[in-house]
Amino acid sequence: MINNHLTRSILAVLCTLILPNLANAQSQQPKTKGNPFAAAPQMSPAQQENFPLQLLDELAAIKTAALGDDYAYHQLAHLTENIGPRPTGSLQAKAAVDYVAAELRKIGLDVQLEEVKVPHWVRGAETAELVEYPGQAEGTSQKIVLTALGGSTATPAEGLIADVVAVNNFDELKALGRDQVAGKIVLFNELFDKQKSAAGLAFMAYGESVPYRGSGPKTAADLGAVAALVRSVGDADFRLPHTGWSSPAGIPAGAVTAEDAQLIADLSAQGRVRMHLTLTPQKLPDVTSYNVIGDLKGSEHPEQVVVVSGHLDSWDLGTGAIDDGAGVVVAMQAAEVLQKLHLRPKRTLRVIAWMDEETGGSGNQAYTKDHSSEFSNHVAAIESDAGAAHPLGFDLKMTATAAGLLQPVVGVLESFGATVLQAIPYSPGADISAMSEAGVPALGLLQDGRTYFHYHHTAADTLDKVVPGELRENAAAMAVMGYALASMKSPLPR
Ligand SMILES: [Zn+2]
């Protein structure tokens, strides 16, 4: 996920506002034995009306079936290991579209491919070394580990050599001014806040650092820099560079590992540092790609739609297991489990594997263009785009009344702890943001994010980082919530 992380950061302070009406309702309920703080499942009249016992029984059966089903994991293994990285415009992204469409047809969904024009940027050579620095042993240089940021332009094939100027933040760069920046390579050495990340505020830490990746190169270019580098965004200490989208700057732009960023900053505090930098990515013509849409038609209100989704494109360094193959496959399993149990929702459950979340959101834009006239009949949208780790519950962007109705649903998920209903003031998924802005109640799976930025957008985003049992929990949460939204008596109020 990309841009929504920025808004997450700004507003994450507000995220601890667990729906106050729910907290009050729970405090008035009798305590269960065992955990003295647990609330007994006691439903309001509106909850009872929307979730009759038969529906609650069905939700429990869906949960049990999903927790015993490795469909999502097998699909993820195919997407990541057999197909591989799925950057927009790539042959692998095309293969993934065809594969997911075929698999959704196999489980009996009505499948459409909806056209999306996507950027096609391909990585080239990426090397760097320090060729001059204080204390340098004669005849040596130091290798710098880095990767190009998405959309970066190229250096000459033989690279460029320039002085490096290291800054900690935008203010320091602006204070230097054009005189001290023009003709140089700028390094933004903004630290990722590991303590926030370890404490469960990983997306807030990401949001604080990622503006340097997003707009640092453009800011440096505007002051005449010949290239820009950022300290990798993330908290892994394994000398792994972290790629991602960056605003087009017209100069080569890369991310150095945290370790190498510190090295350069330390040496440049001592004196002159010169770097030989070679980045040779290419921007190729846009490519026609697709959102994959699979409908399980509703039995009573087929025109009313509940979206369950993740994004199929990934970055190219790893194989996109946690970002976001996992989101796609848990959405697929939500439909697969219903088919296996022969449960037909009242409203249409629509699985969407979004294209191009990572490099501009063209899939989301194309869907909005084609379907915005139907958004009044999109009764809810769920996206999973925050990894595959143990789910804690859901982020919600909807009215408090709507959110309050969902308590019985997470009651079904209580056996594995996915009970959090957390109100947030922005869309919980980038691909469903247009729907959310149009008033569609929006949900995001809320995973334990403490390790997410060890791997996100790096070469280490691979299948082995996904724990099968945790992926099953995510699939169960998606399936139960999706079916509940599609089968509760009335659509969620807006
Ligand atoms: Zn993502």
Side-chain angles (χ1 to χ4, degrees):
M1 52 198 314
I2 43 166
N3 297 335
N4 60 324
H5 293 160
L6 299 174
T7 39
R8 270 181 189 247
S9 73
I10 296 160
L11 297 162
V13 175
L14 301 172
C15 294
T16 49
L17 300 175
I18 309 292
L19 299 168
N21 57 328
L22 297 179
N24 290 340
Q26 289 185 348
S27 66
Q28 290 156 11
Q29 291 172 3
K31 306 288 192 254
T32 51
K33 61 179 181 178
N35 178 356
F37 300 105
Q42 181 178 308
M43 296 204 288
S44 70
Q47 290 170 345
Q48 283 177 24
E49 186 182 306
N50 272 290
F51 296 101
L53 284 179
Q54 189 194 331
L55 176 52
L56 290 177
D57 286 347
E58 288 170 355
L59 295 177
I62 291 165
K63 179 192 75 170
T64 302
L67 289 176
D69 181 348
D70 274 327
Y71 177 86
Y73 191 82
H74 291 307
Q75 297 297 355
L76 187 59
H78 189 89
L79 284 175
T80 57
E81 296 198 323
N82 299 84
I83 294 178
R86 303 171 301 284
T88 55
S90 67
L91 291 172
Q92 295 100 319
K94 180 176 187 299
V97 163
D98 293 341
Y99 176 76
V100 170
E103 290 299 303
L104 292 179
R105 285 193 185 102
K106 217 184 266 180
I107 58 170
L109 303 195
D110 179 5
V111 176
Q112 309 290 334
L113 298 185
E114 297 192 350
E115 196 173 308
V116 183
K117 277 269 183 285
V118 299
H120 191 199
W121 173 89
V122 293
R123 194 172 294 287
E126 37 193 32
T127 61
E129 61 270 326
L130 301 184
V131 293
E132 188 180 330
Y133 46 91
Q136 179 181 25
E138 199 180 328
T140 67
S141 61
Q142 293 207 55
K143 177 178 170 157
I144 295 297
V145 179
L146 86 172
T147 195
L149 294 177
S152 168
T153 59
T155 63
E158 69 280 12
L160 59 82
I161 296 176
D163 284 12
V164 181
V165 55
V167 295
N168 292 307
N169 52 51
F170 287 119
D171 289 342
E172 285 185 20
L173 183 73
K174 283 170 190 155
L176 287 175
R178 176 169 278 272
D179 280 358
Q180 294 178 71
V181 173
K184 295 182 180 166
I185 299 170
V186 168
L187 168 68
F188 291 98
N189 188 35
E190 156 76 17
L191 269 58
F192 186 89
D193 189 336
K194 294 180 185 177
Q195 285 173 303
K196 279 203 185 79
S197 186
L201 298 173
F203 283 93
M204 186 189 245
Y206 183 69
E208 289 170 356
S209 293
V210 81
Y212 291 89
R213 190 192 80 206
S215 60
K218 179 76 172 68
T219 308
D222 288 346
L223 290 172
V226 294
L229 302 172
V230 298
R231 181 178 177 124
S232 283
V233 182
D235 53 7
D237 286 326
F238 305 110
R239 216 174 175 187
L240 280 175
H242 169 280
T243 191
W245 182 85
S246 184
S247 205
I251 58 174
V256 298
T257 67
E259 293 88 340
D260 291 88
Q262 200 56 51
L263 169 77
I264 296 166
D266 290 346
L267 292 177
S268 58
Q270 297 170 24
R272 187 181 197 194
V273 174
R274 283 173 73 74
M275 175 183 281
H276 177 203
L277 173 68
T278 307
L279 298 173
T280 61
Q282 294 178 67
K283 181 167 171 39
L284 302 176
D286 287 356
V287 168
T288 299
S289 186
Y290 301 92
N291 291 323
V292 185
I293 316 261
D295 282 356
L296 180 57
K297 289 284 184 217
S299 58
E300 291 179 26
H301 304 290
E303 77 290 357
Q304 295 179 5
V305 171
V306 172
V307 170
V308 292
S309 67
H311 69 85
L312 194 51
D313 64 304
S314 74
W315 280 103
D316 57 332
L317 296 176
T319 55
I322 63 167
D323 188 12
D324 182 33
V328 171
V329 298
V330 300
M332 293 170 75
Q333 185 168 334
E336 184 262 350
V337 164
L338 300 190
Q339 292 291 66
K340 205 163 64 177
L341 295 175
H342 305 292
L343 283 173
R344 177 62 63 99
K346 287 181 9 183
R347 306 181 184 87
T348 294
L349 187 84
R350 173 169 293 173
V351 177
I352 305 182
W354 300 100
M355 183 48 63
D356 188 27
E357 191 274 345
E358 296 290 1
T359 63
S362 55
N364 161 29
Q365 289 156 19
Y367 186 83
T368 301
K369 187 163 160 284
D370 294 345
H371 295 278
S372 60
S373 64
E374 302 149 27
F375 281 180
S376 58
N377 262 331
H378 278 47
V379 303
I382 314 177
E383 181 162 21
S384 174
D385 187 17
H390 168 65
L392 307 168
F394 295 87
D395 283 332
L396 308 178
K397 174 71 169 70
M398 60 181 67
T399 66
T401 307
L405 285 175
L406 297 178
Q407 192 65 30
V409 183
V410 289
V412 173
L413 306 176
E414 198 197 351
S415 61
F416 59 91
T419 55
V420 175
L421 290 173
Q422 177 166 262
I424 59 171
Y426 46 85
S427 174
D431 297 297
I432 59 173
S433 58
M435 278 183 258
S436 176
E437 281 156 26
V440 178
L443 302 89
L445 266 175
L446 170 63
Q447 284 99 353
D448 176 351
R450 287 175 297 173
T451 63
Y452 187 60
F453 292 103
H454 293 181
Y455 313 120
H456 171 263
H457 291 196
T458 74
D461 178 0
T462 47
L463 181 65
D464 53 294
K465 308 309 183 303
V466 175
V467 177
E470 293 183 341
L471 193 69
R472 289 196 294 268
E473 292 174 347
N474 280 290
M478 182 77 94
V480 166
M481 185 58 85
Y483 187 79
L485 292 165
S487 293
M488 59 194 290
K489 182 160 182 296
S490 308
L492 279 181
R494 297 193 175 198

